[in-house]
Amino acid sequence: MQAFELHFNPKKVKGDIVFDSFCFEPENIIEKSFGNLYIVGQLSNVLPQNSHFLDDLANYIKQEYYLKSQKTPEQSLTDSLRKANEFLSNAVKDGNVNWMGNLDFFALSIQNFVINFAKTGDISVLLFHDGEIIDMGSNLEYQDTQTLDPLKVFGNIASGKVLPGDKIAVLTPKILDFLKSQNLMEELALISEEKSLKEFLSLHKEELLEIYGTCLILIPGGDINQNEMINVRTPEIGSLFKLTASLKNLLARCSSIIKSLIGRLKSLNLFKNWKLPKIKIPNNISLPKIPKLPNLKFNISDKEIFKEKLILILKFIIILIIGFLIFRGSAKREIPIEENLPSIESKMRQAENLVILHKDDEANILLQEALTDILILENKNRKLSENALDDKKTVMDNLDKLNNVAKIQNPEVFTDIGDHIITPQKILLIGTNLLTSELFFSKPNTLLFLNSGQWQEQSLSDDYEFADIALYGQNIYLLDSKNGEIIKFSAVSNTSSNWLEASAEKIIGAKSIAVDGNIWILTGDNKIDRYLKGKYMETLDLTVFPGLDNALRIRVSSGSPYLFIMDNKRVVIMDKQGNLIKQYQSEAFDNLIDFEISPDGKEIHILNGNKIYLIKP
C-alpha cells in the first residue's frame, strides 16, 4: 500500500480551522488481519481547547479498531465508529459542543483490496478506476453533523473491493474545489509514485500556495511497515507531505548496496593472480572403429514382403504423428480452470465496487457474465475446483440480493386437496372463496359459473382451445390459444363475443391472461403484451434475472399496482413498466399449476400439485 499525505499550507490558514490525516498500520501479527486504517479530518471554528480534537478522535478510533482479533475489518470499523459516537456523546455531556456542525471526517480500512469506509460532513472520496473518476461518497447515507443527537454522527458503512491500479483520493473541501476549478482531476489520477507526485506539485506550486487543506492518496498494493515511512519537505511550495516508500524504492536501495559490495570486492584484486591449470591432451588417442554391417541380400519375393511391411510401418508412424499433433493441439486449447478464475474474480470485484456506487444494473450484468463463465467451465470440467465452487456460490448469492430473491424453505400450506381422481388445473378467488377448476370447466368447453346463487352451465364452441380464464367486474375473459382470440363472456346477459378488434393481430400460442382494465397477455415466448379496448398497446421490456424461460401464468389484483408471474419454482412480482420488485422462490414449488392474488394484493395462493401454498408479500 502506498499512502501519500499532503497537507497544504497548514501555517497559513486561520487559527479557527485545523485539518490532519492519519495512517495507522498493523503493529503485530494479530493486528495484520485487520489491514490498514486511514483517517482524514477537518474541524472548523476551533476553540483553543479543541486544538487536539482530531488527534484524540482518530487515535480513539484506531485503539478500538485493533482491539479484538476475532472480528472482521468491517465489524471492527463499525464497532470503532460506534465507540466514536460514544466519545462524541461524552464530549457533549462535558460541555464540549463546539465540534457539532463543524466536523468533516472520513475513516477507511483496507485489507487485501477489500475496503470499508464511512464519512460525515463535506469530505470527498474519489475512486480513480480505468480512466474514470467516481465519487464514492456521494450516495453514502450519513447523519448530518448538525443534528442534536451525537450518537448518529457516524452512520452507515460502505464496503467493497478495489482493483490493482485503482487509486483512492480523500480531499477536504478547499482542495476539491481547487482541483476542479483548475481542471487538475485528470492529472491527479495519473499520480502513481513519488516522482510523479513531485512533478505535479512542482508544476502547480504557485497555485498551491493559495489553498489549504488535506489530500490523502491511497494506491492499493503490498503491505508496508511504518518504519519505511519517509518525510519529504518542499519549502518552496509551502506544503508538507509524507511519502510511503514503495517496494520499487526498497529494491533500488538493495541493488545499490549489492553493486557497491561488488565494486569493493573488485578493488581488493582477490582474483588477480588466479589462473586455471593447463590440461594437456595426448596425441596418440585414437577413436574406436565402427564395425561394418554384413551385406544383406534379398531375393525378389523377400523384397516384396519387405516393401509391404515397410509401407505398413510408415502408415502406422504417420497415424501416430497425426494423433500426437491433434492431442497436443487440443491440450493447448484446453485452459486449466485456475487460469480462468482471475478473470471471473475480477468481474466479481468490479461488481462489488459498482454496488457501493449504487450502480446495481451494471453490477448485475457483470455478475451474470461471471456466472456464465463459471457455468461454461463447469460444463467443460464437470467437477469444479474448490475455489471455483466458492466463486459460484458468492456470485449466485450476490445475484439473489441484486435481484430481490426471497428463498422460502418451508412455505405455508393453505390447504391440502388430497388425492383426487382429477387434479385441479385452475384456482379462482371469488370474494374470499378459493375455488378449483372443477367448478369452472365441468366438461370440455363447458363453462360453469355462479348466477344468483345457482351454478349454471354455458356451452362454448368446440373450435376453441382455452388456455386460461380471468374475471373482471361482471365479465369473464377466456384466452383461446388455438385461434389467438380473447372471448368476453357476460355472466349477466349470458352472451359471449370476441374482445379483440378484427384488425388486431391474433395472439396464437399465448399461455395466460390477466385483466385490470388493461388486458395482460403472457405470450408463448414468455413476453408480456398489454392490450386496451381490443387494441395492442405495447410489449414490456422485462428486467429480471433469471429470465422468464418457462413462465406459466400472469395475474393482477385490483388492490395492487403490480404484475405477478408464475415461473419455474418461483413467483415474480414486477411493476407495470416491467421492473423487478420481488421474487419468491422455493424448492417446494416443484409442480406449479396455477396461482391467484387476493383482492388487496397481500396474499398469493399457489396451486402446486394437490396442495395450495400461501405467501404473504
Side-chain angles (χ1 to χ4, degrees):
M1 168 67 72
Q2 293 186 78
F4 300 87
E5 296 178 79
L6 286 80
H7 296 176
F8 294 97
N9 306 304
K11 294 182 180 180
K12 290 189 176 183
V13 299
K14 297 178 181 179
D16 61 349
I17 296 179
V18 294
F19 49 83
D20 207 346
S21 60
F22 306 85
C23 299
F24 300 115
E25 297 173 340
E27 298 177 358
N28 52 55
I29 296 176
I30 295 176
E31 291 184 358
K32 196 169 184 179
S33 62
F34 294 94
N36 297 359
L37 177 66
Y38 299 96
I39 292 173
V40 174
Q42 177 172 290
L43 187 62
S44 305
N45 302 315
V46 182
L47 296 177
Q49 62 266 30
N50 277 343
S51 58
H52 298 289
F53 188 83
L54 292 178
D55 301 75
D56 295 341
L57 180 56
N59 283 286
Y60 186 83
I61 292 173
K62 178 248 184 181
Q63 179 181 351
E64 293 294 332
Y65 180 75
Y66 289 111
L67 189 60
K68 294 182 180 179
S69 60
Q70 293 87 354
K71 297 180 180 180
T72 65
E74 181 181 2
Q75 292 170 334
S76 296
L77 185 61
T78 300
D79 290 347
S80 63
L81 292 179
R82 187 180 296 115
K83 289 289 185 179
N85 283 334
E86 295 178 8
F87 174 90
L88 297 173
S89 178
N90 291 332
V92 172
K93 291 177 182 178
D94 293 338
N96 183 3
V97 296
N98 173 255
W99 61 268
M100 298 179 66
N102 295 313
L103 178 65
D104 303 308
F105 203 84
F106 171 85
L108 176 144
S109 68
I110 181 166
Q111 166 71 352
N112 295 331
F113 295 98
V114 178
I115 63 171
N116 305 284
F117 68 93
K119 66 181 284 284
T120 185
D122 293 331
I123 285 183
S124 298
V125 193
L126 306 179
L127 173 67
F128 301 96
H129 169 73
D130 197 22
E132 186 179 4
I133 302 175
I134 304 166
D135 188 349
M136 292 198 300
S138 62
N139 293 319
L140 180 63
E141 295 181 3
Y142 60 91
Q143 297 293 333
D144 191 341
T145 54
Q146 294 181 356
T147 178
L148 296 177
D149 186 359
L151 294 176
K152 295 183 179 179
V153 170
F154 298 110
N156 295 338
I157 284 182
S159 302
K161 289 185 179 180
V162 290
L163 301 175
D166 287 351
K167 303 178 190 70
I168 299 172
V170 186
L171 311 143
T172 52
K174 292 291 185 181
I175 305 298
L176 178 66
D177 293 341
F178 167 77
L179 293 173
K180 285 185 175 180
S181 65
Q182 300 295 320
N183 296 318
L184 297 178
M185 298 300 290
E186 288 74 13
E187 290 187 37
L188 184 66
L190 296 176
I191 293 174
S192 59
E193 56 185 0
E194 179 182 339
K195 180 180 178 182
S196 57
L197 177 59
K198 286 184 176 181
E199 290 174 353
F200 173 82
L201 295 173
S202 177
L203 188 62
H204 303 287
K205 60 182 179 180
E206 296 297 331
E207 302 98 308
L208 291 171
L209 285 170
E210 304 302 321
I211 64 169
Y212 64 87
T214 298
C215 174
L216 174 65
I217 300 175
L218 303 175
I219 304 178
D223 292 335
I224 202 162
N225 296 326
Q226 188 151 355
N227 58 12
E228 294 172 358
M229 191 83 74
I230 59 174
N231 293 326
V232 179
R233 184 178 290 273
T234 54
E236 71 277 6
I237 300 177
S239 304
L240 171 66
F241 55 94
K242 304 170 191 173
L243 300 175
T244 303
S246 65
L247 181 60
K248 179 179 178 181
N249 296 333
L250 182 61
L251 292 175
R253 291 201 297 272
C254 292
S255 175
S256 177
I257 293 170
I258 293 171
K259 286 180 180 179
S260 175
L261 181 61
I262 293 173
R264 291 182 181 181
L265 289 174
K266 285 182 178 180
S267 66
L268 295 175
N269 295 323
L270 295 175
F271 307 105
K272 182 176 180 181
N273 298 322
W274 282 26
K275 294 182 180 180
L276 291 173
K278 294 183 179 180
I279 300 173
K280 293 184 178 181
I281 301 175
N283 295 326
N284 58 352
I285 294 178
S286 59
L287 297 174
K289 294 182 180 180
I290 300 174
K292 293 183 179 180
L293 293 174
N295 293 327
L296 299 177
K297 295 182 179 181
F298 298 95
N299 55 34
I300 296 175
S301 59
D302 290 335
K303 288 181 179 179
E304 293 296 328
I305 294 172
F306 178 77
K307 184 178 179 180
E308 291 177 0
K309 291 183 177 181
L310 181 61
I311 291 172
L312 288 174
I313 292 171
L314 290 174
K315 287 181 177 179
F316 180 70
I317 292 172
I318 291 171
I319 291 171
L320 287 177
I321 292 172
I322 293 173
F324 171 76
L325 292 174
I326 293 173
F327 174 79
R328 187 175 65 174
S330 62
K332 285 183 178 180
R333 287 191 298 270
E334 185 176 348
I335 301 174
I337 189 169
E338 286 75 13
E339 294 184 17
N340 292 275
L341 291 183
S343 173
I344 293 170
E345 290 170 351
S346 174
K347 291 179 181 178
M348 293 166 61
R349 287 194 294 269
Q350 291 180 57
E352 289 176 355
N353 282 337
L354 290 168
V355 170
I356 290 178
L357 301 172
H358 299 278
K359 297 183 178 181
D360 290 355
D361 292 341
E362 295 178 36
N364 210 340
I365 293 172
L366 268 179
L367 287 175
Q368 290 177 39
E369 290 177 3
L371 181 60
T372 300
D373 293 343
I374 293 173
L375 294 177
I376 290 173
L377 290 179
E378 190 173 33
N379 185 51
K380 288 182 178 179
N381 295 273
R382 293 189 179 180
K383 187 176 181 180
L384 294 178
S385 67
E386 185 175 344
N387 287 340
L389 287 172
D390 289 342
D391 287 345
K392 180 181 179 182
K393 183 180 185 305
T394 300
V395 169
M396 294 184 72
D397 288 345
N398 288 334
L399 280 172
D400 283 348
K401 291 178 184 177
L402 285 174
N403 292 280
N404 298 330
V405 176
K407 294 190 176 181
I408 307 173
Q409 298 296 329
N410 299 299
E412 179 183 346
V413 178
F414 179 77
T415 185
D416 191 339
I417 300 170
D419 295 330
H420 285 259
I421 297 176
I422 300 175
T423 299
Q425 296 300 309
K426 178 73 183 164
I427 58 174
L428 286 176
L429 276 170
I430 299 180
T432 59
N433 296 318
L434 189 65
L435 307 174
T436 66
S437 65
E438 298 167 70
L439 301 175
F440 292 90
F441 289 106
S442 59
K443 292 182 260 185
N445 291 341
T446 300
L447 180 67
L448 189 66
F449 64 94
L450 191 65
N451 188 11
S452 301
Q454 299 293 322
W455 289 102
Q456 299 180 5
E457 286 189 357
Q458 173 67 39
S459 297
L460 304 170
S461 171
D462 293 336
D463 294 334
Y464 297 141
E465 187 176 304
F466 297 115
D468 198 11
I469 183 174
L471 306 180
Y472 184 70
Q474 299 295 318
N475 300 315
I476 299 171
Y477 294 84
L478 300 160
L479 178 62
D480 176 14
S481 60
K482 177 181 178 181
N483 301 296
E485 289 285 357
I486 298 173
I487 309 301
K488 178 181 177 182
F489 180 82
S490 173
V492 177
S493 61
N494 198 18
T495 58
S496 61
S497 60
N498 289 346
W499 182 82
L500 284 175
E501 286 190 349
S503 59
E505 184 177 348
K506 305 302 180 185
I507 46 178
I508 295 173
K511 294 188 285 189
S512 185
I513 183 173
V515 186
D516 62 356
N518 290 290
I519 287 187
W520 306 89
I521 299 294
L522 178 61
T523 66
D525 55 357
N526 301 295
K527 296 180 180 179
I528 297 175
D529 291 341
R530 180 172 71 89
Y531 290 80
L532 181 63
K533 297 180 180 179
K535 296 179 180 179
Y536 166 82
M537 303 304 294
E538 63 177 330
T539 298
L540 294 188
D541 183 14
L542 304 177
T543 54
V544 58
F545 177 85
L548 299 176
D549 295 329
N550 190 31
L552 302 172
R553 293 282 184 266
I554 182 171
R555 295 289 178 258
V556 291
S557 172
S558 58
S560 172
Y562 303 128
L563 298 174
F564 300 78
I565 301 104
M566 173 183 283
D567 194 27
N568 185 31
K569 293 189 177 182
R570 62 176 170 163
V571 172
V572 181
I573 304 176
M574 311 186 76
D575 66 21
K576 293 179 180 178
Q577 287 73 47
N579 301 307
L580 177 67
I581 302 300
K582 193 77 173 180
Q583 301 187 66
Y584 292 96
Q585 189 179 98
S586 177
E587 290 300 318
F589 301 158
D590 55 359
N591 186 20
L592 294 175
I593 298 172
D594 194 23
F595 77 120
E596 268 297 341
I597 313 300
S598 63
D600 58 6
K602 295 182 179 180
E603 291 185 351
I604 303 174
H605 297 84
I606 300 173
L607 176 60
N608 185 83
N610 283 327
K611 288 183 179 179
I612 297 177
Y613 291 110
L614 175 63
I615 295 177
K616 296 180 179 180

